[in-house]
Amino acid sequence: MNDLKIKKLIMTKTKSKISYPFDPEDFRKEGHLLVDTLSEYLNEALSGKEMPVLPWNDPDRLAEYFSFDSAGGEEESIDAFIKRIIDNSIHIHHSHYIGHQVTSPLPVTVLVQFCTTLLNNGAAIYEMGPVNMAMERNVIKKFGSLIGYNTAFDGIFTHGGTAGNLTAMLAARQVKTDYNIWEDGVRELDRPGYMISEQAHYSIGRNVKIMGIGDESIVKVPVDRNFRMRTDLLEEIKTAAEKKGIRVISVVASSCSTATGSYDDLKAIADFCEKHDLWMHVDGAHGMGVLFSEKYKGCVKGIERADSVVIDFHKMLLVPALNTLVMFRNGERSFETFAQKASYLFQKSQKNVWYNSAIRTIECTKSALGIIAYTAMKYYGNSYLRQYIDSRYDLADTFSMLVKSDRQLELAVEPESNIECFRFAPEGYSDIRLNQINSEIRNRIIKEGSFYIVQAELSEKIWLRLTIINPVTSENDLKDLLKRVLEIGEELS
Ligand SMILES: Cc1ncc(COP(=O)(O)O)c(C=O)c1O
């Protein structure tokens, strides 16, 4: 019988029955073991140890492995349990993890999150998370100044970019409607429309549907050969949408797009929005890290004219998922959207105060996102993030040169960020066959565990897609990836 089991037995026989899980000494012991285990793991993952980046498992088998009746049970030590979690997880910190836009979180943010998880201050209102709200305030100020907003700006944290985009898109609809759409609902003949790029993240279109205004309210704008929104078509597309009875209220720009990392032309979009009094929203979930980079901040020229901007800290700002900031050029606008009458939470005199975040987003209780974002800014917010962004974007350029130097490989588009698409494409094969080959290359690579990469479909072609997000991924790792892609490709062709 292990310690925990003995303790449970003793405790359940005494009057402190339900408090036994809270023993501070157990917490201390398990906590020390946990930190030891995690630092060993970190060491192995960061040193590029031979390990499957994704230990591939059939989903049903893995569910069975973790069933309550199989291995482990109540008697398993916490340390053994943690090790089983680690062993079966995808290893984001490994230098061969170059897949989706999920970052290896800075260890200091993980430590602070360990603390905020125990404190569990639910940041919906000031009283339930005072430190969070104070820190959140300062992060918002920092980003207001990075963006170049004047003093009227404000912001709000959400769990993730999808919720962040929805928060901003609801604000756009509330502000650009001459009746109270929040209170009255959408009027029968009113069809508010959002102009979005064909390459916008799927959360944008989905959010329109969540708002209940349907598919026609998504006004798609084609992209150019670099997968940027065709701003030369904005006038024409708006007029065509209006002829169909759609009241265009907003343009949503991508900074950058998910599939190819392309930055839309914010200046041109801002001009168009100003001319027609439209709400300009920028989905900067992935690419807003360039605000820290002298070299790359030109990618978001014009950002200070956006009415709202979404920034994911859990992508290029090295913070554990999920952690998103929505910035508003005019902070007052963010209060109009969710005008709420919860008297048990908000006193009348507290209307529109910055420190009650629940009145400005779709969520009520939130974890202490502000504290974690603040931690990253406090310790790494200046020169480190600049170096990190520059090195990841530079490495993407190096990778594109490696791809172009091999005639069997093809690049989808010159990279503007750290996201890249390429494919194995020797001469003499149809696109249909190349699609099969490239899908198979990815399947084999992730199942053998040598790398984690993803795939994207662009203009009916399948591409292998990388996000060079991990701070330890090097040029040699990328050379090894290309070598493996070529080996498998040649075997299949
Ligand atoms: C451009 C963009 N916007 C929004 C999202 C959605 O963000 P989240 O996964 O945090 O909800 C993503 C996710 O990859 C993205 O790339």
Side-chain angles (χ1 to χ4, degrees), residues 257-431:
S257 65
T258 307
T260 57
S262 310
Y263 283 88
D264 287 340
D265 180 348
L266 299 186
K267 247 178 111 280
I269 293 169
D271 289 343
F272 179 74
C273 287
E274 252 167 48
K275 180 174 167 200
H276 296 287
D277 191 26
L278 306 178
W279 182 281
M280 173 175 170
H281 173 59
V282 178
D283 179 2
H286 181 85
M288 249 342 118
V290 294
L291 290 172
F292 290 91
S293 160
E294 281 308 314
K295 186 167 175 188
Y296 291 104
K297 74 176 177 207
C299 296
V300 293
K301 219 188 215 157
I303 185 69
E304 71 288 351
R305 295 166 69 192
D307 292 292
S308 51
V309 184
V310 154
I311 303 158
D312 274 359
F313 277 74
H314 57 279
K315 293 193 165 72
M316 290 303 287
L317 299 176
L318 300 162
V319 155
L322 294 165
N323 196 317
T324 296
L325 174 59
V326 190
M327 290 293 293
F328 290 92
R329 183 157 57 94
N330 177 351
E332 279 304 306
R333 295 310 205 186
S334 67
F335 289 97
E336 292 171 29
T337 324
F338 300 95
Q340 212 51 255
K341 293 176 187 148
S343 59
Y344 65 97
L345 282 177
F346 316 114
Q347 295 159 22
K348 274 213 171 86
S349 60
Q350 290 186 338
K351 222 174 145 245
N352 290 10
V353 290
W354 60 266
Y355 46 80
N356 289 333
S357 72
I359 53 180
R360 285 190 292 144
T361 181
I362 50 179
E363 294 162 293
C364 297
T365 309
K366 288 187 297 184
S367 51
L369 305 175
I371 296 182
I372 310 307
Y374 181 92
T375 304
M377 293 302 115
K378 174 175 161 68
Y379 292 104
Y380 299 102
N382 296 317
S383 67
Y384 178 80
L385 278 176
R386 175 173 51 74
Q387 280 172 37
Y388 165 70
I389 299 284
D390 287 355
S391 79
R392 300 305 80 188
Y393 278 45
D394 288 350
L395 190 52
D397 278 338
T398 309
F399 182 73
S400 77
M401 285 188 281
L402 293 173
V403 169
K404 285 188 292 187
S405 68
D406 193 309
R407 288 182 51 201
Q408 295 199 92
L409 300 174
E410 184 187 352
L411 194 66
V413 58
E414 284 295 336
E416 286 185 80
S417 66
N418 58 333
I419 297 176
E420 270 192 282
C421 293
F422 73 105
R423 64 178 189 157
F424 176 72
E427 273 174 26
Y429 292 85
S430 68
D431 278 332

Side-chain angles (χ1 to χ4, degrees), residues 74 150 251 280 285 341 366 436 444 488:
E74 263 184 69
N150 68 20
V251 181
M280 173 175 170
K341 293 176 187 148
K366 288 187 297 184
Q436 288 165 344
R444 286 211 196 168
I488 301 175

Side-chain angles (χ1 to χ4, degrees), residues 240-261:
E242 283 168 350
K243 275 197 187 132
K244 286 200 272 172
I246 292 157
R247 178 172 63 88
V248 172
I249 56 168
S250 172
V251 181
V252 179
S254 307
S255 283
C256 50
S257 65
T258 307
T260 57

Side-chain angles (χ1 to χ4, degrees), residues 23-124:
D23 185 316
E25 266 318 302
D26 282 351
F27 183 72
R28 185 195 309 277
K29 262 198 306 199
E30 302 293 356
H32 281 292
L33 264 180
L34 169 68
V35 173
D36 287 344
T37 300
L38 288 180
S39 18
E40 256 167 56
Y41 165 70
L42 199 56
N43 187 31
E44 288 184 353
L46 290 174
S47 64
K49 185 190 159 193
E50 286 268 330
M51 62 204 277
V53 182
L54 168 64
W56 179 260
N57 241 312
D58 170 75
D60 290 323
R61 276 193 25 219
L62 194 60
E64 179 52 35
Y65 172 70
F66 281 112
S67 78
F68 289 112
D69 298 331
S70 61
E74 263 184 69
E75 294 188 34
E76 183 180 30
S77 72
I78 308 286
D79 190 48
F81 178 49
I82 297 274
K83 284 181 174 146
R84 285 201 298 136
I85 294 175
I86 294 174
D87 287 347
N88 288 285
S89 295
I90 183 161
H91 304 305
I92 303 277
H93 287 86
H94 196 284
S95 63
H96 289 188
Y97 174 88
I98 27 184
H100 288 292
Q101 303 139 272
V102 176
T103 198
S104 6
L106 292 161
V108 66
T109 60
V110 177
L111 291 175
V112 175
Q113 191 152 309
F114 185 44
C115 160
T116 57
T117 307
L118 183 85
L119 296 176
N120 206 23
N121 279 210

